[in-house]
Amino acid sequence: MRTLFSGTKPTPKTSPHASFLARPVLVALFLVIISTLTRLLLLFKTSIDIDYSTRNVLGLFGIGLFYDVINALYFVFPLMLLGWLVPVGWQNKKGFRITANVLVFIMVFLLLLNAVSEWVFWDEFSSRFNFIAVDYLIYTQEVIGNIRQSYPVGIIISILLLLTAIFTFLLARLAEQSAFRSFRFGMRSLVMVGYVVIVAVTVLFVDNKVRQFSSNVYVNELAGNGMYELFSAYQHNELDYNQFYLKSDDGKVSAEIRTLIKTPESHFINNKPFSIERNIVNPGPEQRRNIVLISVESLSADFLGGFGNTQGITPFLDSLAGSSLFFTNLYATGTRTVRGLEALSICTPPTPGQSIVRRPKNEGLFSLGSVLKGKGYQTRFIYGGYGYFDNMGYFFGHNDYKVVDRTALSKKEIDYENIWGVADENLFQLADKEISGAVKSGKPVFAHIMTTSNHRPYTYPEGRIDIPSHTGREGAVKYTDFAIGQFIRRARTRPWFKNTLFVIVADHCASSAGKTDLPVDRYKIPLLIYAPGFVKPAVMPRLMSQIDLGPTILGLLNFSYRSKFFGYDIFKLEPGRERAFVSTYQSLGYIKNDSLIILKPQKLAATFLPDFKNGAARQAQQNKHLVDEAVAWYQSASFQFRQGMMKK
């Protein structure tokens, strides 16, 4: 027996060429584990808002696992490619092992960084990665700066690098001990072809709609995979209304929108399909007053005392409300600054996907700036950050506004700044300087001022208010209120004050997340119009959309003009015709009377009876009449922009 086996070498316990499938499989398993742990942690973080039905729990983890596996298939492609191309004889060499382990190190670090990023993103937006995250990848300077100012980035990265080194070492040891055998190039090619076919099938036939199985939005978000959602959002940053949404016959919609848009003071000038171009006629002398429109970053209605807040974080605005025309039933069109700027400048319902502010071919649009410029106004968009962010500078600069941003301030004029822009008090000092200089020409001024301080990291100059900087949203709200108060008080000493209309409105709410797809309470924003001796103090409780503000301002000033706006002058609109628009990048909401219509991709439409106080919504029998109205508004707006009909 000894002679028989003396020349036989023992069979090795591991394959020297295990790396072709071992590393991809192990990294894929690591991804699934990390994704599952992330899902569990986010579930714990959001536990009070989850409906723990058996269907929801099973769907959350089952569908979540499905997306994790799909994401793993995409994620390990570099390792599969490396193992396929490198000859078997080379895969035992030290150089290959070092290259493979470096690649694994990078991938593990990305997975850990992604998990931390998902936690941070969820903390801000209560959702998986979406359009906002795509924007953040584009505007890296502001976003990275914001993160550095909000979190101990150095410590976090150090911990992640240490964990990455540990996990990479463990994965390398496991790969060496794996049971996977080596394959010659032909067999590796067959495996690779099968893998590519599977990936191609998932790309063609799997999308992020599978997770939309529950009526609880948080459950649907948790059932997704953050990294998968990020690339899905990147691929679908613009949605063709006709392709994805419920639509009606063009002729029917064209007639319907003209019926909906018609008001007593308006007269259509042509019968072109989808045209809403009309003359607005307001008899009597025009009031060529200066207009100062302040759009406040993330100012939810419930921050103000007039909406029931007892924290006292908007003392100036609360005091100003009693001297103003105070609108108490206004709804923002969306959840991003660019949506608010779109609504306030071109007065159009939100179109699915990206805001028009960010889209190509958005130059020369019919805007509030173009109307007022035609009336002899000097128009300004004044912003405390850099105008290139979110394409704001380009959009306003190409739509009849002069853009004035932080580059107009010298270092000595800046008391404080963070990555988003200068402190709001410095922004308003710039606005005061710009307006005071412009009115000397004898022409009226329209200045749209966009604030930035009410934004994470919630930092501002110390000593201005009784809440320390960088402690939370409430402090940022109170600081912005302080800055607005300082600006208005300073304006009262200027010669142009008595001839000026001050309009204070939010761009959107501080948070739009809720149990329902479009929680209407999270879209309510404040609006104050202040002009002593011209606008009488009063409360306006009528339902109103953010897109109605432009026509309402023009109506208050008694202007006659040719309009392409979708908005109403709320004071000319007959009672009972009020409506509002709310949206995410996919869901399009239409509020009228006590109902909420939601249009979604896959040509879905549903009718809800929302609770306007807590945002809950009960699905009701379909209201076909209101669905038809919602389709008319949204289909028309999308058609008009695509066909260039929003141009001047």
Side-chain angles (χ1 to χ4, degrees):
M1 293 291 291
R2 182 177 180 179
T3 303
L4 182 62
F5 294 105
S6 60
T8 305
K9 295 182 180 181
T11 303
K13 294 181 180 180
T14 62
S15 168
H17 311 304
S19 54
F20 171 55
L21 285 180
R23 287 187 175 86
V25 169
L26 289 170
V27 169
L29 286 173
F30 184 77
L31 183 153
V32 170
I33 292 169
I34 290 295
S35 298
T36 302
L37 288 174
T38 302
R39 187 172 291 109
L40 281 168
L41 289 172
L42 294 178
L43 175 62
F44 176 77
K45 183 178 180 66
T46 322
S47 57
I48 61 173
D49 294 309
I50 299 295
D51 295 330
Y52 290 96
S53 67
T54 302
R55 179 174 181 270
N56 279 349
V57 173
L58 291 177
L60 189 157
F61 286 103
I63 295 174
L65 178 61
F66 170 75
Y67 278 116
D68 294 345
V69 171
I70 297 296
N71 186 43
L73 286 171
Y74 302 157
F75 191 74
V76 300
F77 180 79
L79 285 173
M80 291 292 291
L81 192 64
L82 180 68
W84 173 52
L85 293 176
V86 175
V88 172
W90 291 12
Q91 293 187 18
N92 250 349
K93 297 185 182 297
K94 185 177 180 180
F96 172 80
R97 292 200 299 272
I98 291 174
T99 301
N101 287 333
V102 167
L103 182 56
V104 170
F105 182 92
I106 293 171
M107 298 174 82
V108 169
F109 178 77
L110 289 175
L111 290 174
L112 295 176
L113 181 64
N114 177 76
V116 173
S117 301
E118 283 205 66
W119 178 271
V120 171
F121 192 83
W122 189 281
D123 190 51
E124 180 78 7
F125 300 105
S126 299
S127 74
R128 295 287 193 175
F129 292 142
N130 52 31
F131 271 5
I132 301 172
V134 174
D135 286 351
Y136 280 9
L137 288 178
I138 295 172
Y139 295 103
T140 52
Q141 178 179 341
E142 282 80 359
V143 174
I144 292 174
N146 179 32
I147 292 170
R148 290 179 63 187
Q149 292 170 359
S150 302
Y151 303 97
V153 175
I155 295 173
I156 294 172
I157 294 298
S158 298
I159 293 172
L160 291 182
L161 287 172
L162 177 61
L163 290 174
T164 300
I166 294 171
F167 285 127
T168 300
F169 173 77
L170 293 175
L171 289 173
R173 293 294 300 271
L174 288 171
E176 292 171 3
Q177 298 171 12
S178 70
F180 289 103
R181 310 301 299 175
S182 60
F183 297 123
R184 300 269 180 200
F185 182 74
M187 182 58 70
R188 292 203 310 273
S189 297
L190 286 176
V191 173
M192 192 67 181
V193 167
Y195 164 75
V196 170
V197 168
I198 293 172
V199 169
V201 169
T202 62
V203 170
L204 291 173
F205 298 105
V206 177
D207 58 28
N208 68 345
K209 305 301 187 299
V210 178
R211 67 180 176 86
Q212 303 287 348
F213 73 100
S214 173
S215 59
N216 185 284
V217 174
Y218 291 112
V219 170
N220 292 335
E221 291 293 334
L222 289 170
N225 175 283
M227 197 174 290
Y228 181 92
E229 293 299 320
L230 178 66
F231 287 100
S232 177
Y234 179 79
Q235 286 181 311
H236 302 97
N237 63 346
E238 290 188 28
L239 298 174
D240 185 324
Y241 183 91
N242 289 344
Q243 179 180 352
F244 292 102
Y245 291 84
L246 185 67
K247 67 183 295 289
S248 188
D249 174 75
D250 284 349
K252 178 182 176 183
V253 169
S254 179
E256 177 81 358
I257 194 61
R258 288 169 70 90
T259 299
L260 291 169
I261 210 75
K262 183 73 172 69
T263 52
E265 82 283 12
S266 67
H267 309 277
F268 291 108
I269 65 170
N270 61 53
N271 293 314
K272 295 178 182 178
F274 283 98
S275 173
I276 60 169
E277 190 170 5
R278 59 209 186 277
N279 286 322
I280 306 296
V281 179
N282 287 305
E286 296 185 341
Q287 301 286 327
R288 293 179 180 267
R289 294 176 176 265
N290 304 307
I291 305 167
V292 177
L293 170 60
I294 303 172
S295 53
V296 184
E297 172 69 43
S298 306
L299 187 67
S300 298
D302 56 17
F303 289 151
L304 275 68
F307 293 93
N309 188 288
T310 59
Q311 296 173 291
I313 54 177
T314 57
F316 178 77
L317 291 178
D318 290 340
S319 66
L320 194 68
S323 305
S324 304
L325 183 55
F326 184 31
F327 294 76
T328 59
N329 206 11
L330 173 69
Y331 287 83
T333 58
T335 61
R336 296 292 317 283
T337 295
V338 285
R339 276 295 183 205
L341 295 178
E342 170 190 88
L344 295 171
S345 60
I346 60 175
C347 309
T348 183
T351 50
Q354 189 58 270
S355 164
I356 288 173
V357 174
R358 295 285 314 281
R359 291 191 187 180
K361 301 180 181 179
N362 64 2
E363 308 89 353
L365 301 178
F366 184 85
S367 68
L368 188 56
S370 67
V371 172
L372 291 169
K373 194 171 184 179
K375 296 287 185 182
Y377 277 71
Q378 303 170 80
T379 57
R380 303 285 190 272
F381 175 70
I382 306 174
Y383 177 55
Y386 291 113
Y388 69 79
F389 183 72
D390 258 345
N391 205 46
M392 287 186 281
Y394 183 90
F395 174 80
F396 282 99
H398 287 78
N399 286 291
D400 293 293
Y401 293 76
K402 176 185 175 183
V403 176
V404 183
D405 66 6
R406 71 188 287 177
T407 59
L409 288 167
S410 64
K411 288 186 177 180
K412 67 179 181 180
E413 293 176 298
I414 300 174
D415 291 291
Y416 184 86
E417 61 183 320
N418 61 27
I419 197 62
W420 296 111
V422 301
D424 282 348
E425 62 188 270
N426 297 139
L427 165 66
F428 286 120
Q429 288 163 1
L430 173 63
D432 174 56
K433 178 182 175 182
E434 189 71 26
I435 296 167
S436 296
V439 295
K440 292 178 181 178
S441 69
K443 294 182 178 180
V445 174
F446 167 48
H448 182 162
I449 307 168
M450 180 68 224
T451 73
T452 62
S453 291
N454 185 21
H455 196 297
R456 191 181 293 276
Y458 311 129
T459 55
Y460 40 86
E462 295 287 2
R464 288 357 184 224
I465 59 172
D466 58 0
I467 302 176
S469 173
H470 207 180
T471 56
R473 171 80 72 179
E474 289 76 14
V477 171
K478 192 164 188 177
Y479 170 71
T480 295
D481 177 84
F482 159 82
I484 294 172
Q486 190 181 65
F487 172 65
I488 297 293
R489 284 189 286 268
R490 186 187 300 114
R492 287 171 181 155
T493 69
R494 304 303 190 212
W496 47 266
F497 173 77
K498 291 183 179 179
N499 192 44
T500 300
L501 192 74
F502 292 88
V503 182
I504 303 172
V505 68
D507 61 345
H508 58 85
C509 284
S511 173
S512 60
K515 293 183 179 181
T516 56
D517 197 22
L518 292 174
V520 292
D521 64 316
R522 303 294 179 89
Y523 286 81
K524 182 174 280 192
I525 56 175
L527 167 62
L528 291 80
I529 298 181
Y530 173 66
F534 175 60
V535 175
K536 293 181 179 180
V539 174
M540 167 55 78
R542 294 179 69 183
L543 176 66
M544 186 174 170
S545 174
Q546 203 173 19
I547 74 170
D548 298 328
L549 182 54
T552 297
I553 292 172
L554 296 172
L556 280 172
L557 296 176
N558 215 41
F559 284 142
S560 295
Y561 60 100
R562 182 163 292 186
S563 178
K564 290 188 176 183
F565 292 147
F566 282 83
Y568 292 137
D569 176 350
I570 195 66
F571 294 105
K572 305 296 191 308
L573 186 68
E574 306 95 318
R577 293 185 59 193
E578 304 91 342
R579 77 316 163 239
F581 306 94
V582 294
S583 73
T584 63
Y585 67 95
Q586 283 191 340
S587 298
L588 306 175
Y590 180 65
I591 301 170
K592 192 167 186 181
N593 301 325
D594 60 347
S595 298
L596 168 67
I597 306 299
I598 299 182
L599 307 179
K600 300 183 71 172
Q602 298 177 313
K603 303 186 184 299
L604 301 176
T607 301
F608 295 89
L609 297 176
D611 186 319
F612 289 92
K613 292 184 178 180
N614 65 24
R618 175 172 58 86
Q619 190 160 358
Q621 184 176 354
Q622 193 77 295
N623 187 323
K624 187 177 184 306
H625 175 69
L626 289 185
V627 169
D628 288 343
E629 285 191 10
V631 169
W633 286 105
Y634 283 115
Q635 186 176 329
S636 297
S638 297
F639 179 92
Q640 283 205 10
F641 181 73
R642 190 172 65 250
Q643 298 297 320
M645 295 176 66
M646 290 185 183
K647 302 280 186 181
K648 291 182 291 184

